[in-house]
Amino acid sequence: MSSRTPSPAAWRGRRLPRPVLGALVGAVVVLGLALAVVTAMLLSRPADRTAQPAGSGGPGQPSQTTQADPTGPPTTTASRLPAATTPQEIADRIEAAVADAVVAGTIDAEAADKLREKVDDLRQNAGRGKARKSAQELQRTIDQLREDGQVAEQTAAQLTGLLRPLLGGD
């Protein structure tokens, strides 16, 4: 045999050792799982609401803004959406309601930022089984902002109503 092709016996010695092969297969599995998790997170993320006009009736928006009196601020009316039941749905609805309230002028920008931070905490803690505690903290923040005059009574009542399923009837 004068050709340069190694014999089958020579190939046997060039196989990857089992630990290396196992590590490579494990790495591929971990990368596949990571890709699946990232995809699931991206698909479950709420839509970017900055691209939608307020009250456009887009997915997850619980209310519509109407101009009852052209000289006065817009008013917010609740639409007939099914009740939110998961912490994620509730957080989405609260976030949309806060955005609508900012447009309507029933909440100031600083208060809206505080509420968005608490809504983000609610989303993060829901996966850890702490949704009720986060909901209680969000409720305290709503109450404090209402008492300070940074959130209108009607808006505070709307946000509290959205949050009620997580509070357990408090």
Side-chain angles (χ1 to χ4, degrees), residues 121-122 125-135:
D121 291 345
L122 174 64
N125 289 330
R128 299 181 195 139
K130 298 180 180 179
R132 183 178 171 132
K133 181 179 178 186
S134 291

Side-chain angles (χ1 to χ4, degrees), residues 66-90:
T66 58
Q67 189 83 22
D69 177 12
T71 60
T75 58
T76 303
T77 57
S79 64
R80 302 290 175 212
L81 291 176
T85 55
T86 68
Q88 181 67 36
E89 290 173 340
I90 291 169

Side-chain angles (χ1 to χ4, degrees), residues 4-90:
R4 301 186 81 151
T5 313
S7 68
W11 282 107
R12 282 189 210 131
R14 291 187 177 190
R15 284 182 142 181
L16 289 175
R18 285 189 187 264
V20 172
L21 183 61
L24 287 174
V25 169
V28 169
V29 169
V30 168
L31 287 174
L33 288 174
L35 179 63
V37 168
V38 168
T39 302
M41 289 174 57
L42 289 175
L43 291 175
S44 68
R45 195 175 84 191
D48 182 13
R49 287 187 184 82
T50 59
Q52 297 178 355
S56 66
Q61 288 196 347
S63 60
Q64 294 183 339
T65 303
T66 58
Q67 189 83 22
D69 177 12
T71 60
T75 58
T76 303
T77 57
S79 64
R80 302 290 175 212
L81 291 176
T85 55
T86 68
Q88 181 67 36
E89 290 173 340
I90 291 169

